[in-house]
Amino acid sequence: MSKEKIIGVWLVWAVIWPLGLVLIYNLETPAISGSLINLVIFALLTVIVALFPLRIGDHPVFFSQGVAFAVFLHYGLFAEIVISQIALGALLIKVRLSRHTMYRIPINQLMFLMISVFSALLYEGLGGGHGPEAVDEFRDLFPIVSYAVSQIVLNQLFLSAISKWLYKRPFKWLDQGLLWDVMTAGLVLPIGFVLFVVFLPFGISGIFFVGIPFVFISGMMMMYHNSSQVNEYLKRASRIGHELTGELSVTEVLNIFVDHMSDLLPLDHLYVFDVKESGRLKLIRFFDRSGTLEFPPITLQKGESVSGHTLQAGKGAYYKKRTEWRTLESPYIPDASESVLSVPVVRNNETVGVITVYSNQKRAFLQFQLLILSILANYLGVAIENARHYEKTKEESERCALTGVYNYRYFDDFIKQSFLKHEEDEREPVSLILLDIDHFKKVNDTYGHESGNEILIELAGRLKEAAGEDMTLARYGGEEFVFLLPGFDEQAALAFALHIQGVITEDPFTVVEHILKQEGPVSVQVTASIGAASYPDPCEEPLDLIRQADRAMYVGAKQRGRNRVAGYKDLMQPVQ
């Protein structure tokens, strides 16, 4: 969250929150004289209940709303606001905000205030009353139910709006938080209503009759939720692991992993390190939820920083706040970081990487999330190894084993895919250059096939240096090489072909494994015949482009003396 937004939030709070309380008190003039002891007990009950929150995503859900509901029905809006704000204060003390996240105090206080005010306006607008008058008739249930529903709707609306404004997260109306809000409200608000009904005739005794079971229900709900949450996390971890088992590149594996982790855990930063042969950690993936930090070029020694310490220890670690890992600080860790989860990535009983996640909140993570992260780290280790094997196998199938450039099979598929993309574009020009070494059989006969291979390797190296970033180079046949030039018309392609001709003929090639009687390297002068053709004029499909370049090479270059460059359009001129 930016400094400007934090200052803005505090300024808005300083104006609205105290003035709002004063205004509501003066307008309502609550009749609470003689009831202070009751309100203190209600406040004590709501504080106790607030100590058993459920964490849904990045925000806690707690059951104090039931107590506040009973207070609202009996004493009105101002008393309900006081009780709600006290419960909120207890909750914020429990989660122990860091100095970097203190802005959550004004945000939550303003949100609770707005929810209380809007719900009360709806309730009273529908004819709802307070005290014994709140339940005089059966029709009084309508404003009561409307009040309860508005609390749920407004809470979800405010949370989604705040997440979008502060953290730039997508606006979510239906999510897991809303589901738990509905479930807890379905249990807690009726109990709050019972608390109100019992309080009417029994007073303080009624608070204890209903309040004590209420506390136990809160605790049981928290334990049930935590158990359900663990099961849900295990299921999601299994799905993520399955998704990582496909035929993916390393980049795709890391993208999938980071996308899921940023959604699964309340993290602000994520680091994925690879263990190099030197034993150092090199950062291979970085995630910053705010989007303001660039990928840092980090290399860590064993024992250095949190991640290096995890590598050295060989086991995961959970730090609840910054003071617990103060001795492991480094300039690569964001200043606002508090909670940390760090686990080794283990493959075949060997640590091959480290994953470290940071949150700007204290105690942002739960203990079982360390286990989930360890499970996912093992999935990631297997997935990266499989991805590297897949990339190696894929590259070997696409590359010429001798020259290292793409082979015929890859180029044939690539040009077809390129033309499918061009069909969707505005028929931008694309050209193809085909070159063939002149008298290559004579070179092999004179110097031997090993020397012929040396020439092919050196030629491929020269062509790779000459190729631009958008060009695709392949070995098309024995001594034939081909360039695909996107965005080149035939005139530009011919100019590039002349440049290639110069690259080939400017310096002789050197062969070492020759069959000549003389010892030492031998220089061999090599030339090539080059043909060029362009799309969309006059060809309409990939095979036409290849055939036309091939014809230009043989008819326009080889048959006219070799060591020439020819374009397909030049062959068409005498026919016209």
Side-chain angles (χ1 to χ4, degrees):
M1 183 175 175
S2 66
K3 186 177 181 180
E4 292 77 11
K5 285 185 178 180
I6 293 176
I7 294 174
V9 165
W10 279 104
L11 289 176
V12 171
W13 173 85
V15 173
I16 294 179
W17 193 75
L19 290 180
L21 291 180
V22 172
L23 182 62
I24 292 168
Y25 181 85
N26 290 329
L27 289 175
E28 189 183 41
T29 313
I32 57 177
S33 59
S35 303
L36 289 180
I37 184 63
N38 295 339
L39 290 174
V40 169
I41 294 176
F42 272 119
L44 180 61
L45 177 61
T46 196
V47 167
I48 295 173
V49 173
L51 298 178
F52 300 97
L54 310 182
R55 183 175 294 276
I56 310 295
D58 289 344
H59 61 274
V61 174
F62 58 107
F63 308 121
S64 299
Q65 63 191 112
V67 181
F69 184 35
V71 172
F72 172 77
L73 291 177
H74 197 277
Y75 294 106
L77 175 61
F78 182 79
E80 185 272 333
I81 289 176
V82 172
I83 293 297
S84 295
Q85 296 287 327
I86 290 174
L88 175 63
L91 177 66
L92 294 176
I93 291 173
K94 176 179 172 59
V95 299
R96 300 184 185 180
L97 298 174
S98 68
R99 62 185 180 86
H100 299 287
T101 57
M102 295 296 285
Y103 61 85
R104 289 176 175 267
I105 295 175
I107 289 175
N108 281 279
Q109 286 188 332
L110 288 172
M111 185 183 78
F112 273 62
L113 179 64
M114 294 297 103
I115 292 174
S116 297
V117 170
F118 290 143
S119 298
L121 289 175
L122 175 64
Y123 175 79
E124 293 176 2
L126 293 174
H130 300 284
E133 297 177 1
V135 288
D136 271 350
E137 302 176 6
F138 180 77
R139 65 181 182 181
D140 290 332
L141 288 177
F142 180 67
I144 291 175
V145 172
S146 299
Y147 175 88
V149 172
S150 68
Q151 290 260 315
I152 299 171
V153 173
L154 289 171
N155 184 66
Q156 183 68 13
L157 181 63
F158 277 108
L159 284 174
S160 298
I162 290 171
S163 294
K164 181 175 178 59
W165 181 62
L166 293 182
Y167 309 113
K168 299 179 182 179
R169 297 173 186 171
F171 189 95
K172 291 183 179 180
W173 178 248
L174 298 175
D175 64 3
Q176 190 183 19
L178 176 61
L179 176 62
W180 273 95
D181 266 351
V182 172
M183 291 177 60
T184 55
L187 175 64
V188 172
L189 292 180
I191 295 179
F193 181 72
V194 171
L195 176 60
F196 161 70
V197 172
V198 173
F199 177 74
L200 286 176
F202 293 103
I204 293 178
S205 300
I207 298 178
F208 287 102
F209 289 151
V210 180
I212 293 175
F214 199 69
V215 172
F216 281 104
I217 290 174
S218 298
M220 288 187 292
M221 283 289 291
M222 185 179 71
M223 290 187 290
Y224 171 76
H225 171 262
N226 289 343
S227 175
S228 300
Q229 199 174 25
V230 171
N231 291 334
E232 179 60 27
Y233 267 77
L234 289 172
K235 290 177 183 177
R236 292 181 66 179
S238 178
R239 289 196 294 268
I240 295 170
H242 180 73
E243 191 173 342
L244 293 174
T245 59
E247 291 186 343
L248 304 168
S249 65
V250 173
T251 300
E252 290 171 332
V253 165
L254 291 172
N255 287 342
I256 291 172
F257 180 80
V258 170
D259 287 345
H260 282 296
M261 291 305 302
S262 62
D263 184 55
L264 190 67
L265 298 177
L267 58 87
D268 291 289
H269 303 95
L270 182 148
Y271 298 75
V272 180
F273 290 92
D274 194 23
V275 177
K276 312 309 290 184
E277 292 182 0
S278 61
R280 296 182 177 183
L281 288 174
K282 182 177 181 181
L283 186 68
I284 59 174
R285 195 67 163 81
F286 173 71
F287 171 79
D288 167 41
R289 191 179 294 281
S290 69
T292 59
L293 299 180
E294 297 182 356
F295 190 103
I298 302 176
T299 301
L300 299 176
Q301 301 280 359
K302 184 179 290 187
E304 181 183 3
S305 189
V306 173
S307 301
H309 179 73
T310 299
L311 174 64
Q312 186 176 53
K315 60 181 181 180
Y318 172 31
Y319 303 103
K320 298 180 179 65
K321 52 187 177 179
R322 195 179 190 94
T323 53
E324 295 181 355
W325 51 272
R326 181 78 67 185
T327 57
L328 300 175
E329 286 191 26
S330 79
Y332 306 115
I333 303 175
D335 293 336
S337 299
E338 288 285 349
S339 304
V340 185
L341 294 179
S342 186
V343 298
V345 180
V346 179
R347 178 64 176 157
N348 296 328
N349 296 320
E350 179 183 358
T351 300
V352 296
V354 172
I355 300 169
T356 305
V357 300
Y358 297 88
S359 172
N360 296 340
Q361 300 179 48
K362 294 179 180 179
R363 295 174 172 80
F365 307 113
L366 301 173
Q367 188 66 40
F368 76 86
Q369 289 173 330
L370 179 65
L371 171 63
I372 299 298
L373 185 59
S374 297
I375 293 172
L376 289 171
N378 290 333
Y379 282 140
L380 181 65
V382 174
I384 288 179
E385 182 172 317
N386 291 341
R388 286 172 175 163
H389 178 72
Y390 168 73
E391 287 179 343
K392 181 179 179 181
T393 303
K394 187 172 182 287
E395 182 171 352
E396 288 175 351
S397 69
E398 294 174 346
R399 297 279 178 174
C400 167
L402 178 66
T403 62
V405 300
Y406 289 116
N407 57 27
Y408 167 82
R409 183 172 64 179
Y410 171 83
F411 186 81
D412 190 51
D413 291 337
F414 178 79
I415 193 172
K416 290 175 182 176
Q417 293 298 321
S418 297
F419 266 72
L420 288 175
K421 292 180 182 179
H422 274 278
E423 289 176 1
E424 301 172 358
D425 298 335
E426 299 178 357
R427 296 173 65 85
E428 293 183 356
V430 58
S431 295
L432 187 142
I433 291 176
L434 187 65
L435 67 89
D436 181 85
I437 300 176
D438 296 327
H439 303 299
F440 192 66
K441 183 177 182 303
K442 183 178 179 181
V443 171
N444 281 330
D445 292 342
T446 303
Y447 301 97
H449 288 280
E450 288 293 329
S451 294
N453 287 340
E454 289 181 278
I455 290 173
L456 290 172
I457 294 170
E458 186 175 346
L459 175 59
R462 294 188 188 185
L463 297 179
K464 281 192 285 187
E465 286 188 13
E469 291 184 0
D470 295 333
M471 301 177 185
T472 302
L473 168 66
R475 183 183 177 190
Y476 200 66
E479 64 268 21
E480 290 183 333
F481 290 83
V482 62
F483 281 95
L484 188 66
L485 313 174
F488 280 61
D489 57 18
E490 186 163 313
Q491 183 176 0
L494 287 172
F496 181 71
L498 288 170
H499 171 66
I500 292 298
Q501 183 185 36
V503 167
I504 296 172
T505 59
E506 184 175 353
D507 296 310
F509 288 69
T510 301
V511 297
V512 177
E513 303 295 333
H514 55 79
I515 58 175
L516 301 180
K517 292 182 179 181
Q518 69 182 74
E519 295 183 359
V522 174
S523 296
V524 180
Q525 192 66 46
V526 173
T527 63
S529 298
I530 307 175
S534 296
Y535 166 90
D537 184 23
C539 71
E540 293 293 334
E541 61 180 38
L543 293 179
D544 281 345
L545 191 62
I546 296 171
R547 281 195 294 264
Q548 289 173 8
D550 189 50
R551 181 171 174 77
M553 180 186 69
Y554 276 99
V555 177
K558 283 195 177 293
Q559 291 184 9
R560 293 180 180 176
R562 293 183 170 83
N563 192 23
R564 292 175 178 269
V565 172
Y568 182 75
K569 286 184 180 179
D570 295 336
L571 303 182
M572 301 172 63
Q573 296 301 323
V575 179
Q576 296 177 349

